[in-house]
Amino acid sequence: MEADRMLSDQATALRRADLAETYLRRIVAGGADNPEQLYTRRLIENLNSQGKFKDAKQFLATIKAAVDKDVVLLLLSSDAERGTGDEKRAKELLDLAKANFGGDARVWIKSAQANMSRPEYAQDVIADLNRAIQIDPRNAQRSEEHTSE
């Protein structure tokens, strides 16, 4: 399984989500994940990035007890719910992340990203991005880099 871990890392670095998925699934199915469930998390993120939201939700269900206690898993869950069309549940998960991890800039960035395509939420997007910048001023520079591209 160590070879699968290395190959999944390499495939991810090469932006070969399809190939990384194969190795990540083997690691998780083989019970070779680490105690922090790093490879399960990577697999969920990988599946979300490929639009395989139903598959991501299945893996999230296997670690449900950890989801509410972990900012990354909450955000991945929100993405998966949004991807399957459950906007209400996606928003509930983002709100939970804000309540439990409001000091983490990633929460506010994800909230802004979730609403960027909706003109009626423009003020909320700006407020979320401002909050992310307050938490971590380096986000201001990142924002400038993205807007200048």
Side-chain angles (χ1 to χ4, degrees), residues 110-123:
K110 182 58 74 175
S111 180
Q113 289 172 336
N115 291 315
M116 279 186 178
S117 65
R118 300 171 152 163
E120 67 271 22
Y121 289 107
Q123 293 302 319

Side-chain angles (χ1 to χ4, degrees), residues 8 19 21 25 30 38 40 54 69 89 111 114 124-125 128 141 143:
S8 77
L19 188 57
E21 177 189 349
R25 283 182 182 270
L38 175 67
T40 300
K54 288 181 182 179
K69 301 172 195 150
R89 181 67 181 141
S111 180
D124 292 337
V125 169
D128 288 345
Q141 182 179 357
S143 177

Side-chain angles (χ1 to χ4, degrees), residues 4-140:
D4 286 339
R5 288 188 188 114
M6 289 174 27
L7 289 168
S8 77
D9 293 346
Q10 191 64 32
T12 300
L14 293 171
R15 298 180 188 222
R16 288 287 314 274
D18 57 330
L19 188 57
E21 177 189 349
T22 301
Y23 295 114
L24 290 166
R25 283 182 182 270
R26 285 174 44 178
I27 294 163
V28 172
D33 204 346
N34 65 11
E36 295 80 29
Q37 298 171 310
L38 175 67
Y39 292 93
T40 300
R41 293 165 187 264
R42 286 183 180 175
L43 178 56
I44 294 164
E45 185 173 16
N46 174 293
L47 293 168
N48 277 347
S49 74
Q50 295 184 79
K52 296 180 178 182
F53 302 109
K54 288 181 182 179
D55 287 353
K57 285 175 66 171
Q58 288 176 337
F59 283 100
L60 282 159
T62 68
I63 56 172
K64 186 166 179 41
V67 172
D68 292 350
K69 301 172 195 150
D70 185 287
V71 65
V72 171
L73 291 175
L74 273 173
L75 297 177
L76 290 172
S77 295
S78 179
D79 286 346
E81 294 295 348
R82 182 167 286 102
T84 57
D86 193 343
E87 289 291 330
K88 182 180 177 192
R89 181 67 181 141
K91 184 180 180 329
E92 288 171 358
L93 290 166
L94 273 177
D95 289 346
L96 182 60
K98 288 177 183 179
N100 293 345
F101 304 100
D104 189 321
R106 295 173 295 182
V107 171
W108 302 97
I109 292 168
K110 182 58 74 175
S111 180
Q113 289 172 336
N115 291 315
M116 279 186 178
S117 65
R118 300 171 152 163
E120 67 271 22
Y121 289 107
Q123 293 302 319
D124 292 337
V125 169
I126 291 168
D128 288 345
L129 291 174
N130 283 334
R131 180 73 179 121
I133 291 167
Q134 288 172 346
I135 293 167
D136 184 355
R138 294 175 295 179
N139 288 311

